[in-house]
Every structure is written in structure tokens, then in C-alpha cells.
């Protein structure tokens, strides 16, 4: 093997190890502050027990993870807290969006959501209940889905460049085929085209039957998709004309949040009218 090939191979192996370590750290974070066992991490990651243990030791040495001496379970360490605190000071999307979520649920009477992008996935940060007595429970805070699943995830996916959107769909192909039977790759691509044409996304009950949703992307001041707002309701409340009214509500709060974000980060943001 020549030097260039060896370097490329070493780089790929290194990147894979980083991806695995970060995946384990994310799995601990998604536990919501609770400690998790090594069996949980093995199941979540699909890695072998010795590999998980080796990576946990590396994270413990760096201070990102702590292990309870009695239960032998793992939790986030002080370094994770420090990094999270620094990120929170610069950029806390939920703080900027909470008033908009309350307004969306008040004005629509349905449930509104804030989701953020995490690589090829979206994560629900917050769920705000509306006053309508029959609610959809398709999405809960902390849940993670491939980009394109759900209205929020589709809004984010459609805002990516053609190349990145296609790569994301390909990266999630196996997961979609295994866990999301309502979705196909061709359908995902069609929804991307439809979302771009409309300016907002629609999930016609593909993940949970009878639970429809409308979503719109949130952009950072430099134009990158960072999250999404969405409103979900029973299919009977999501006729075409009401979808348009809900999209107008989402556009209103999108402008509000992006303006706040621009001011917070001291950037200028183009009009989204």
C-alpha cells in the first residue's frame, strides 16, 4: 500500500472512530440526565461491548463522561456541561422560539413543535400543546428521526442543497427501510420537490396514520437550515385550506425567530417575507 492510500485509510478509520464516540455521547445525552448502562449503549450503537467500553474510557479521561462507582452506569461529565453551557450562551434556539411556540398553539389550537438538525437527523426540542381536546402524539420532546420524516424534518431536508439532500437521503436509506415503512426514497425526493415549490412541508400521516403536520424551516443568519417549526393535528383538521392558514402562522413566527436570532448573533438577516 502506498503512502497516499495508507493516509486515506487511516483518515477514514479515524473519522469512523470519532463518529462512534460522538454517537455514544449523544446516546447518553438523549437519556435526559439519567445514567445509562453499558448494555443500553451497546444496544443503541450496535457496537461490541469491548468497543463501547474502550470508547467510554476515552470519554471518561477527557471529562465528557462520568461513571458511577457502584452502579457502573454512565452519565455526562463536567466537560459536556461546560461545552453545552458555552453553546447555550451563544445560541439557544428554544429560548428564542418559546414565545412563538406558545403563539402558534394558541392561534391554531393544535400542537406545535420546535425541531433542530443533528447531522442527518432532526431532534424535537419542545412540544407545545394546543387547546383542541383531541391531540396527536406523533412526536415528543427528545425524539430523533431521519431528516425528511415528519413535517419539521422534511422542511430541514428540503432546505439543504441538492447534493447534501441526496446524500442525506442515501445515508438514511437503511434506517428508513427498516423503521419507517411509510417512506421510500422516491417519495422522500418527491416531498423535497413539493416542499421547495410550496415553501413549507406537509406530512400526510406517513409516520403515524391520521396525524398530519405542516412545517417550515428556520435558517441561521448565514442561510443555513438549523431547525424547523411545525404544527400537527388530526387529518380531519388538515384540509388544504387550513394547511395554508397554518403555513401563514408558521411564516409569521419564522420571521420573528430569525429576527431574534440575527440580533442575538449580531448578524444581518435577509427578509423572509
Amino acid at each position: 500500500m502506498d503512502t497516499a492510500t495508507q493516509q486515506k485509510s487511516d483518515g477514514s478509520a479515524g473519522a469512523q472512530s470519532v463518529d462512534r464516540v460522538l454517537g455514544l455521547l449523544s446516546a447518553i445525552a438523549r437519556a435526559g440526565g439519567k445514567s445509562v448502562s453499558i448494555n443500553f449503549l451497546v444496544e443503541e450503537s450496535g457496537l461490541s461491548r469491548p468497543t463501547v467500553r474502550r470508547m467510554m474510557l476515552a470519554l471518561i479521561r477527557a471529562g465528557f463522561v462520568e461513571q458511577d462507582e457502584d452502579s457502573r452506569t454512565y452519565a455526562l461529565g463536567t466537560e459536556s456541561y461546560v461545552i453545552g453551557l458555552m453553546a447555550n450562551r451563544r445560541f439557544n434556539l428554544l429560548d428564542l422560539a418559546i414565545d412563538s411556540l406558545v403563539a402558534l398553539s394558541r392561534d391554531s389550537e393544535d400542537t406545535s413543535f420546535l425541531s433542530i438538525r443533528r447531522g442527518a437527523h432532526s431532534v424535537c426540542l419542545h412540544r407545545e400543546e394546543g387547546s383542541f381536546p383531541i391531540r396527536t402524539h406523533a412526536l415528543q420532546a427528545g425524539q430523533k428521526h431521519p431528516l425528511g420524516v415528519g413535517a419539521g424534518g422534511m422542511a430541514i431536508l428540503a432546505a439543504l442543497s441538492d447534493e447534501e439532500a441526496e446524500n442525506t437521503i442515501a445515508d438514511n436509506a437503511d434506517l428508513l427501510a427498516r423503521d419507517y415503512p411509510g417512506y421510500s426514497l422516491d417519495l422522500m425526493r418527491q416531498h423535497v420537490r413539493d416542499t421547495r415549490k410550496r415553501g413549507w412541508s406537509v406530512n400526510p400521516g406517513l409516520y403515524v396514520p391520521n396525524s398530519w403536520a405542516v412545517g417550515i424551516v428556520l435558517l441561521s443568519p448565514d442561510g443555513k437550515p438549523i431547525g424547523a417549526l411545525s404544527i400537527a393535528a388530526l387529518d380531519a383538521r388538515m384540509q388544504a385550506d387550513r394547511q395554508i392558514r397554518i403555513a401563514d402562522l408558521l411564516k409569521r413566527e419564522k420571521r420573528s425567530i430569525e429576527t431574534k436570532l440575527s440580533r442575538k448573533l449580531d448578524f444581518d438577516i435577509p427578509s423572509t417575507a
Side-chain angles (χ1 to χ4, degrees):
M1 183 182 296
D2 59 36
T3 302
T5 303
Q6 180 64 50
Q7 289 176 341
K8 183 176 181 180
S9 176
D10 291 345
S12 297
Q16 185 181 53
S17 295
V18 171
D19 287 344
R20 289 174 171 177
V21 169
L22 293 178
L24 291 170
L25 193 59
S26 295
I28 297 173
R30 290 196 301 273
K34 299 178 181 178
S35 297
V36 300
S37 67
I38 192 169
N39 290 336
F40 170 84
L41 294 172
V42 168
E43 183 176 349
E44 284 286 300
S45 66
L47 301 173
S48 68
R49 189 182 183 92
T51 297
V52 170
R53 177 58 181 162
R54 184 175 70 252
M55 291 180 173
M56 285 297 100
L57 289 173
L59 288 168
I60 290 170
R61 288 194 296 270
F64 289 104
V65 169
E66 296 176 351
Q67 186 176 35
D68 185 273
E69 292 185 2
D70 296 325
S71 67
R72 311 305 294 171
T73 55
Y74 301 97
L76 293 180
T78 54
E79 282 300 314
S80 293
Y81 171 77
V82 170
I83 287 178
L85 184 61
M86 293 302 101
N88 183 65
R89 286 179 177 176
R90 180 175 185 269
F91 176 81
N92 189 336
L93 190 56
L94 180 54
D95 278 356
L96 299 178
I98 190 64
D99 289 344
S100 289
L101 292 165
V102 171
L104 287 170
S105 292
R106 180 195 66 220
D107 295 345
S108 69
E109 300 183 340
D110 289 311
T111 306
S112 65
F113 305 88
L114 173 66
S115 299
I116 57 170
R117 183 188 178 191
R118 285 292 179 265
H121 295 75
S122 64
V123 179
C124 178
L125 273 189
H126 185 79
R127 171 190 175 101
E128 186 71 25
E129 301 286 1
S131 60
F132 192 74
I134 304 176
R135 298 168 183 171
T136 173
H137 296 283
L139 187 61
Q140 302 292 334
Q143 285 187 327
K144 173 182 172 183
H145 294 296
L147 282 182
V149 172
M154 176 51 68
I156 298 170
L157 179 66
L160 302 178
S161 68
D162 289 346
E163 181 180 6
E164 190 171 8
E166 184 58 36
N167 288 340
T168 299
I169 292 171
D171 288 345
N172 286 328
D174 291 343
L175 182 59
L176 290 168
R178 187 186 71 213
D179 295 338
Y180 300 88
Y183 290 84
S184 69
L185 302 190
D186 287 342
L187 180 63
M188 194 76 77
R189 296 181 182 107
Q190 182 61 53
H191 276 231
V192 167
R193 292 191 291 268
D194 293 343
T195 299
R196 289 172 174 175
K197 184 177 180 179
R198 277 191 305 261
W200 39 273
S201 63
V202 175
N203 171 28
L206 293 176
Y207 181 57
V208 175
N210 306 120
S211 177
W212 286 45
V214 174
I216 197 163
V217 69
L218 295 173
L219 301 175
S220 66
D222 59 359
K224 295 179 181 178
I226 53 173
L229 295 172
S230 58
I231 293 176
L234 297 178
D235 52 0
R237 290 173 59 78
M238 279 293 186
Q239 305 93 338
D241 58 341
R242 191 163 191 269
Q243 290 176 24
I244 295 173
R245 291 200 299 273
I246 287 176
D248 287 341
L249 293 177
L250 292 169
K251 290 176 185 177
R252 181 191 74 191
E253 298 308 323
K254 167 186 169 74
R255 289 192 291 269
S256 174
I257 294 169
E258 290 179 347
T259 298
K260 291 177 183 177
L261 182 60
S262 177
R263 291 170 180 166
K264 184 177 179 65
L265 299 185
D266 196 27
F267 284 118
D268 291 327
I269 190 168
S271 172
T272 54

